């Protein structure tokens, strides 16, 4: 069942349940936490070659340094949001940050691959606990309308800027210190944010218990699906293990959805999806996550492998992306949602982002940064950033306070899961195209470097570039799909005047 306005059928809107003496400081704490949590999605990317050499990680396992975090983050985020509703959002927020900070320290000290991957999983667990409670703390600290829109604009900007900032910071730390500092840097920041949580208020708690079986089946199902996609690209789609993991994913996710209709306290209350605007926001954010993750991943590989950029040069090459994301998510999106319907912002944003990825699909092995990469980065980030604030508002608008944590957790989970699934799928596209041009193109690239066979290196670069551009083409189609979903499913009207400027009590 849907409605033109979520407020007509959804539970009573979330209103602040505590009085915060320093709302500016409270927002700074929440935004800083979101910054380091999202930053960790990308800060590892530039350090991956150094990690691979230092810990002797195989090429097939290297991607799990990124995916271990993303899957734990996305898979357990619903549980984290629900924990905040049940046990107190400030308390759970503080606990999640502490886990994340400790895991960062363990990862920086990791002596081997297994320890690093375990620390990355633990980081994802901490992020999954802290991130949804951060968004729900905004929903229960700032009243609906102008104040909350401004706060959500800052929050959404941190989500976008943190991704690009992670790439820049990762380059600096890897070049001038070593890869371990991309993890160590979280420790002092995390400790400061934990101390700053005393400026946050505590919201009312819900009664109930956590749906741990639901969290296990959902996370295991998504891990199985990502592994099946990754293995299918390497060993073939008819490989017995690949098929087995696809079947396991289908069974586990099916069990998850079935149990959500039968347990008394579901991890993902399906009532949240009955409103077409909210469901459309979740689906769109999932596809936006594909666009964002794939852009960072493939551009980083292109700049370091094809254009021979150093880690620090690669990081700073992302400045146009950071600027575009800050302008669109932190300013334009927050302004526009107050005056026009959400789909009037998100649909053009998705189309602009698709255009940016299509621009990237025209790259070759000698493309210019100034005339090609830089403008395409800005266009892509401008489009993706425009989507963030309206989708964030669509997820929490009209949600009752008891569902605020789970509603916001589902939004973040959509982005993380979409990014992990999309990266696995688009990596398969890139590998297939590259290997058609030159068998085992990635291995040939490193073999050519080791043996000083520059002819082989150049052939491998051309093949790898063809794979990257094919993935960008596929990514642009995904964002076109996002625009279509918004047009068809998100029909919320222009906000009422009292939602933009709520009356003073």
């Amino acid at each position: 069942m849907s409605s033109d306005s979520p407020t007509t059928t959804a539970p009573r809107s979330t209103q602040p349940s505590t009085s915060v003496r320093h709302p500016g400081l409270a927002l700074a704490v929440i935004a800083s936490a979101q910054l380091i949590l999202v930053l960790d999605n990308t800060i590892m990317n530039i350090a991956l070659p150094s990690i691979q050499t230092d810990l002797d990680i195989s090429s097939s396992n290297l991607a799990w340094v990124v995916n271990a975090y993303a899957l734990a983050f996305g898979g357990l985020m619903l549980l984290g949001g629900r924990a905040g509703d049940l046990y107190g959002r400030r308390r759970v927020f503080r606990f999640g940050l502490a886990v994340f900070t400790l895991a960062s320290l363990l990862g920086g000290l990791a002596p081997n691959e297994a320890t690093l991957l375990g620390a990355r999983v633990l980081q994802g667990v901490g992020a999954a606990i802290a991130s949804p409670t951060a968004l729900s703390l905004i929903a229960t600290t700032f009243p609906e309308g102008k104040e909350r829109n401004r706060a959500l604009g800052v929050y959404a900007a941190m989500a976008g800027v943190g991704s690009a900032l992670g790439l820049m910071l990762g380059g600096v730390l890897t070049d001038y210190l070593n890869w371990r500092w991309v993890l160590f840097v979280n420790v002092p920041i995390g400790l400061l944010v934990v101390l700053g949580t005393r400026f946050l208020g505590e919201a009312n708690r819900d009664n109930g218990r956590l749906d741990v079986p639901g969290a296990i089946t959902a996370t295991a199902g998504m891990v199985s699906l990502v592994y099946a996609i990754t293995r299918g690209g390497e060993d073939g789609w008819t490989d017995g293990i690949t098929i087995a993991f696809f079947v396991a994913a289908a069974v586990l996710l099916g069990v998850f959805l079935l149990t959500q209709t039968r347990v008394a306290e579901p991890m993902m209350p399906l009532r949240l999806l009955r409103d077409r605007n909210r469901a459309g926001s979740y689906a769109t954010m999932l596809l936006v996550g594909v666009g964002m993750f794939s852009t960072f991943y493939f551009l980083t590989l292109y700049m370091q492998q094809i254009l021979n950029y150093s880690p620090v040069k690669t990081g700073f090459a992302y400045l146009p992306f950071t600027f575009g994301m800050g302008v669109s998510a932190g300013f334009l999106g927050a302004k526009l949602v107050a005056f026009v319907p959400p789909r009037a912002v998100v649909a053009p944003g998705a189309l602009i982002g698709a255009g940016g990825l299509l621009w990237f699909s025209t790259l070759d092995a000698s493309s210019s940064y100034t005339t090609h990469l830089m403008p395409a980065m800005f266009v892509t980030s401008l489009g993706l950033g425009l989507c963030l604030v309206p989708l964030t508002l669509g997820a929490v608008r009209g949600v009752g306070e008891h569902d605020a944590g789970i509603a916001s957790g589902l939004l973040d989970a959509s982005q993380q899961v979409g990014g992990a699934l999309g990266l696995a799928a688009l990596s398969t596209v890139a590998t297939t195209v590259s290997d058609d041009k030159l068998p085992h193109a990635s291995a040939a690239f490193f073999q050519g470097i080791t043996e000083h066979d520059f002819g082989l290196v150049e052939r491998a670069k051309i093949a790898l570039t063809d794979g990257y551009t094919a993935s960008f083409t596929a990514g642009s189609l995904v964002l076109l799909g996002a625009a279509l979903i918004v047009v068809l499913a998100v029909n919320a009207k222009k906000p009422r005047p009292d939602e933009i400027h709520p009356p003073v009590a």
Side-chain angles (χ1 to χ4, degrees):
M1 216 132 157
S2 63
S3 161
D4 287 348
S5 173
T7 56
T8 59
T9 59
R12 181 175 56 86
S13 297
T14 302
Q15 293 298 330
S17 37
T18 58
S19 176
V20 179
R21 295 180 61 184
H22 303 286
L25 289 174
L27 180 58
V29 169
I30 295 170
S32 298
Q34 177 68 358
L35 179 65
I36 63 170
L37 296 176
V38 175
L39 179 147
D40 223 69
N41 271 327
T42 56
I43 195 171
M44 299 295 291
N45 279 282
I46 291 179
L48 288 176
S50 299
I51 294 172
Q52 184 176 25
T53 301
D54 192 23
L55 299 184
D56 193 26
I57 302 177
S58 68
S59 297
S60 59
N61 287 342
L62 189 62
W64 285 100
V65 175
V66 175
N67 277 346
Y69 177 80
L71 287 171
F73 193 176
L76 297 175
M77 199 172 295
L78 298 178
L79 194 68
R82 187 60 178 156
D85 292 340
L86 295 176
Y87 304 126
R89 289 166 192 151
R90 183 175 65 177
R91 175 185 297 178
V92 170
F93 180 61
R94 183 180 291 155
F95 176 74
L97 286 172
V99 171
F100 178 86
T101 303
L102 175 62
S104 297
L105 178 62
L106 294 176
L109 297 172
N112 52 47
E113 174 185 344
T115 305
L116 177 61
L117 294 182
R120 290 291 285 165
V121 170
L122 190 59
Q123 273 190 303
V125 172
I129 295 170
S131 185
T133 46
L135 183 52
S136 59
L137 279 167
I138 287 181
T140 55
T141 299
F142 299 92
E144 270 196 82
K146 189 175 182 180
E147 285 187 58
R148 188 181 298 177
N149 288 354
R150 185 184 297 116
L152 285 169
V154 173
Y155 177 91
M158 292 304 101
V161 173
S163 296
L165 182 61
L167 293 163
M168 291 187 291
L169 187 58
V172 171
L173 293 174
T174 302
D175 254 5
Y176 293 110
L177 295 172
N178 61 56
W179 68 264
R180 296 180 184 277
W181 281 93
V182 302
L183 292 161
F184 285 148
V185 71
N186 294 325
V187 177
I189 300 174
L191 290 174
L192 287 174
V193 175
V194 169
L195 292 174
T197 56
R198 64 190 182 90
F199 293 109
L200 302 176
E202 185 60 276
N204 296 329
R205 301 182 192 181
D206 197 2
N207 295 318
R209 56 185 176 183
L210 292 176
D211 178 20
V212 176
I216 293 173
T217 53
T219 306
M222 286 183 291
V223 170
S224 298
L225 182 57
V226 169
Y227 182 78
I229 294 172
T230 303
R231 185 180 177 89
E234 295 176 354
D235 299 303
W237 302 105
T238 59
D239 172 69
I241 297 178
T242 298
I243 294 172
F245 272 92
F246 272 122
V247 171
V251 171
L252 287 165
L253 294 175
V255 169
F256 168 70
L257 291 175
L258 181 63
T259 57
Q260 295 308 286
T261 65
R262 298 186 176 184
V263 297
E265 300 288 343
M267 187 179 78
M268 187 182 74
L270 297 183
R271 62 179 176 272
L272 292 176
L273 304 180
R274 291 173 187 159
D275 182 275
R276 68 185 283 177
N277 290 285
R278 191 173 302 116
S281 296
Y282 292 146
T284 305
M285 183 61 88
L286 185 129
L287 298 184
V288 168
V290 175
M292 191 171 293
F293 273 54
S294 61
T295 298
F296 292 138
Y297 185 79
F298 292 111
L299 269 186
T300 299
L301 291 177
Y302 174 80
M303 287 190 282
Q304 289 202 45
Q305 293 183 346
I306 310 303
L307 300 184
N308 300 318
Y309 283 12
S310 67
V312 69
K313 185 176 181 180
T314 301
F316 279 93
Y318 276 99
L319 278 172
F321 199 101
T322 306
F323 178 72
M325 189 68 73
V327 168
S328 58
F331 178 72
L332 289 178
K335 293 289 185 183
L336 290 173
V337 293
F339 303 105
V340 297
R343 65 179 172 187
V345 181
V346 179
L351 291 174
I352 293 170
L357 290 183
L358 201 58
W359 197 340
F360 283 130
S361 73
T362 63
L363 290 168
D364 58 40
S366 59
S367 292
S368 164
Y369 176 79
T370 305
T371 61
H372 202 155
L373 282 173
M374 184 171 68
M377 279 187 196
F378 180 77
V379 169
T380 303
S381 64
L382 191 68
L384 293 174
L386 282 174
C387 299
L388 297 179
V389 174
L391 294 177
T392 304
L393 284 170
V396 299
R397 183 185 181 192
V399 175
E401 183 174 333
H402 60 288
D403 280 334
I406 195 65
S408 55
L410 187 55
L411 179 75
D412 281 345
S414 297
Q415 185 179 31
Q416 294 296 321
V417 171
L421 292 174
L423 189 55
L426 296 186
S427 293
T428 299
V429 171
T431 299
T432 301
V433 172
S434 295
D435 288 353
D436 282 345
K437 300 286 184 178
L438 178 67
H440 307 293
S442 182
F445 173 77
F446 290 108
Q447 178 186 345
I449 293 176
T450 302
E451 299 176 357
H452 303 289
D453 184 346
F454 299 110
L456 179 60
V457 170
E458 290 306 312
R459 293 196 302 275
K461 282 186 175 183
I462 293 172
L464 291 172
T465 300
D466 287 345
Y468 300 152
T469 55
S471 71
F472 286 126
T473 300
S476 70
L477 295 176
V478 170
L479 290 183
L480 287 176
L484 182 62
I485 289 174
V486 169
V487 170
L488 297 177
V490 179
N491 64 353
K493 303 299 184 183
K494 176 180 174 180
R496 299 190 309 270
D498 63 307
E499 291 178 319
I500 302 173
H501 303 290
V504 178

